[in-house]
Amino acid sequence: SLAGLANGFFHASSSKADTPLALVPGADYDLVQAGVVELFFTFVLAYVVLSVATTDLPTSWITKQSFYFALAIGSCVTAGGFAGGAVSGGELNPAVSLGITMANFIHSGDTAPAPIENFLILAAMEVVGGITAAAVFRLANTAEYDSKGGLPK
């Protein structure tokens, strides 16, 4: 939220000060559609992060490091941004949504600030997407957990 506040102050003094920076659905879309897009792409991003950054590498690999995880995670962010950006803004993270909301309250251009309900709904959908990704990961990757208590190995 501090970054959002700083962004609001810098935006207010920039040459684009009259352009609002708000957490609102894109043109021709409503808040529910934006929330579903955020849920889906947050799920994809969180599931890919869990799948590539927390699992054991195959024993047949020569090195114990994999550099493909950055490509996979970056591709998810890019796909979410391009595919969902026009609908929801493509935040994919409640902290980013909070930062945009804070920046909008500091400086909203010539318009009124976006309603706080936009943040609450989109952030809730992003959290649900992350929790769903964790649950699906847990069910799909049973080999990553020990048989006693279900804790990660």
Side-chain angles (χ1 to χ4, degrees):
S1 62
L2 291 176
L5 292 173
N7 184 5
F9 286 119
F10 284 118
H11 184 72
S13 63
S14 75
S15 62
K16 300 280 187 180
D18 57 340
T19 305
L21 175 63
L23 190 64
V24 294
D28 301 325
Y29 298 101
D30 62 24
L31 199 54
V32 173
Q33 292 169 323
V36 169
V37 166
E38 287 295 314
L39 185 146
F40 177 76
F41 284 109
T42 302
F43 168 85
V44 170
L45 176 61
Y47 187 81
V48 168
V49 168
L50 289 169
S51 295
V52 301
T54 66
T55 56
D56 291 331
L57 294 173
T59 56
S60 62
W61 283 30
I62 295 172
T63 179
K64 292 295 180 194
Q65 294 184 353
S66 172
F67 298 101
Y68 297 114
F69 67 86
L71 179 62
I73 294 168
S75 296
C76 289
V77 172
T78 302
F82 278 112
V87 179
S88 67
E91 292 84 23
L92 310 180
N93 184 333
V96 174
S97 297
L98 178 62
I100 292 171
T101 301
M102 296 299 291
N104 185 244
F105 280 122
I106 293 296
H107 178 71
S108 60
D110 296 334
T111 62
I116 193 70
E117 291 83 16
N118 289 6
F119 164 71
L120 296 174
I121 291 171
L122 292 177
M125 296 296 267
E126 293 160 353
V127 168
V128 168
I131 291 170
T132 305
V136 170
F137 177 80
R138 174 64 173 96
L139 293 172
N141 295 285
T142 56
E144 293 292 323
Y145 297 88
D146 67 16
S147 60
K148 298 176 185 174
L151 297 174
K153 290 182 180 179

